Amino acid sequence: LVSPIFAQETIFNALWTVLAAAVGIFLYVWWAFRNVPSPFRYGLAAIVALLHDTLIVVGIFAILGELLDIEVNTMFLIAVLTVIGYSVNDTIVVFDRIRENVRSAPNRRFADTVNISINESIGRSLGTSITTMTVVLAMLLFGGPTLRDFLIVLLAGVIVGTYSSIFIAAQVLVIWD
């Protein structure tokens, strides 16, 4: 319901915002994990997971747009940035566990260290995600239509972000090793 010029400007600004967020996240993760071998890999693995999350959420929203006539709007962009923040937080929790286990057993195979780290952090990740999904579902069911699109994106993002932190980001580190 907006002019094409405004829509193009919104898309352009959204892409720059997501790119700036990705660069900031990459630099932060690289700096935060500077004491482990190849901190560059941690930053890049986090970005790969975020790209996965963003593409899946955009794809789900595109399908829902066709089925439920949902529009891409400012709330959608805010929700995608929220998903990116949530996902990188979960990824950093898993990476932090990997960092601690690399320090405590430097001679262990890296793949084994990642496996142990995932096993140690999966309960916390799932607990946080289930709690978040419960609140989002409650707001979706009992809230008004104003936040509906935001909450749908957030719900999909929490599920995808939890999955990617465990099964994408950590595995990119193992494959790269």
Side-chain angles (χ1 to χ4, degrees):
L1 301 176
V2 297
S3 73
I5 294 172
F6 183 73
Q8 280 183 327
E9 185 177 313
T10 301
I11 291 171
F12 181 75
N13 289 338
L15 290 175
W16 277 110
T17 303
V18 170
L19 182 64
V23 168
I25 289 167
F26 172 77
L27 292 174
Y28 171 74
V29 172
W30 189 3
W31 178 80
F33 292 90
R34 66 189 178 280
N35 297 327
V36 295
S38 304
F40 176 81
R41 293 179 184 180
Y42 286 78
L44 211 54
I47 296 302
V48 168
L50 293 180
L51 286 173
H52 168 269
D53 299 347
T54 305
L55 289 175
I56 297 294
V57 168
V58 169
I60 290 170
F61 209 77
I63 292 168
L64 291 176
E66 287 294 317
L67 297 176
L68 303 176
D69 199 31
I70 297 175
E71 294 182 2
V72 171
N73 55 24
T74 311
M75 286 303 256
F76 171 78
L77 300 174
I78 293 168
V80 168
L81 290 172
T82 304
V83 166
I84 288 172
Y86 183 87
S87 178
V88 79
N89 182 54
D90 202 27
T91 300
I92 288 173
V93 167
V94 173
F95 282 1
D96 191 46
R97 198 69 228 143
I98 292 170
R99 175 177 53 189
E100 293 301 318
N101 286 332
V102 164
R103 285 183 188 164
S104 66
N107 296 328
R108 185 186 305 139
R109 271 182 6 132
F110 187 68
D112 295 335
T113 300
V114 170
N115 189 41
I116 290 167
S117 302
I118 288 172
N119 286 332
E120 290 174 352
S121 62
I122 196 166
R124 186 170 31 180
S125 290
L126 290 176
T128 303
S129 297
I130 289 169
T131 303
T132 304
M133 284 189 295
T134 303
V135 172
V136 171
L137 277 171
M139 290 174 64
L140 192 58
L141 293 173
F142 301 114
T146 307
L147 291 177
R148 181 184 63 120
D149 296 350
F150 176 81
L151 294 171
I152 290 171
V153 174
L154 196 57
L155 184 63
V158 168
I159 294 167
V160 172
T162 302
Y163 169 83
S164 72
S165 297
I166 297 167
F167 298 110
I168 304 287
Q171 302 317 315
V172 167
L173 288 176
V174 172
I175 289 169
W176 202 342
D177 188 53

